[in-house]
Amino acid sequence: MSKLGPDLVLDFDRIRRLTIVEGALVNETPLRVGVGREAPLGSPVELAVITMKVNGRRRPYIPGSSLKGVFRSFIEQLARSSYPQLHDPWQFNDVENEEKDGFCVVCAIFGNKQVASHVRIYDAMPQSEPSISIRTGVGINREFQAVEPEVYYTEEFVNPGSKWKFRMDILNIEFPGEGDERSRYLRELFTTLKTVGLQVGARRSVGMGLIKLVDAKYKTYSIVDGALKLIDDGEL
Ligand SMILES: [Zn+2]
């Protein structure tokens, strides 16, 4: 398995290169990135969409941490097809050994306890007012896996077709170039996001949360004489 050495991964003493990828995410199916089982105080909705207060108004958004989780597990699946011995995220011993043995491609992009992430994924805020629907569902008794007609819940979701502002920063990785293996995985991630899409949030098994990336552009900066200098840009 190819391992990335500390020169490539523990390199945060110096920002040599910064690529900013921007575009829009569109949810093609209903989307709910939830706030968990806990209903917000006074809410008539039990499974609510996560929101953030902007200028005094609550607005739904897709947390960067949710996107990062989806991107990481997608790249993990890609990498596992080349490296069947790739560790799982909960194999803490393998993660701890990476500092001396070299980092796997997934940790070398997304970080782990020892190494900072080489990508930053921002919260995706809606570009316009997203329309939200509420539906009532019939609860499933988890013990008997049977429908209990008496149990109802309400569920909120963002209707398909909403656009969300996307930004991801890529630090010290030669992207979209060919020289760094991590760049190949990131390019595959963006290609998949543009064509097939990836799912985020709840109810993925019934197709919810399918997002696609549109209008993706990148700008790459390098630090020259103490200033950020644009060295490359284009469409993805
Ligand atoms: Zn790793």
Side-chain angles (χ1 to χ4, degrees), residues 72 86-87 95 98 103-104 106-107 112:
R72 181 179 188 128
L86 185 73
H87 68 83
V95 173
E98 287 197 336
F103 293 90
C104 77
V106 179
C107 293
N112 63 31

Side-chain angles (χ1 to χ4, degrees), residues 13 20 35 72 94 101 133-134 148 178 186 198 201 203 209 226:
D13 55 320
I20 299 175
V35 288
R72 181 179 188 128
D94 292 0
D101 296 347
S133 291
I134 295 173
E148 277 194 350
E178 307 276 338
L186 289 170
L198 287 172
R203 300 205 185 281

Side-chain angles (χ1 to χ4, degrees), residues 1-15:
M1 170 159 170
S2 87
K3 295 279 190 180
L4 290 102
D7 53 320
L8 272 175
V9 182
L10 300 172
D11 55 355
F12 284 100
D13 55 320
R14 198 156 82 87
I15 300 294

Side-chain angles (χ1 to χ4, degrees), residues 10 22 24 33 46 77 79 95 100-101 104 117 135-138 164 172 179 197 199 202 205 224 227 235:
L10 300 172
E22 286 185 300
V33 179
E46 289 165 80
Q77 288 170 41
V95 173
K100 59 175 167 36
D101 296 347
C104 77
S117 179
R135 64 182 167 202
T136 305
V138 178
W164 314 79
N172 289 356
Q199 284 178 284
S205 66
V224 180
E235 296 192 359

Side-chain angles (χ1 to χ4, degrees), residues 22 175-176 194 215-219 232-236:
E22 286 185 300
F175 177 87
K194 283 170 59 186
D215 305 328
K217 294 182 176 67
Y218 72 93
K219 283 185 171 145
D232 186 20
D233 64 343
E235 296 192 359
L236 277 180

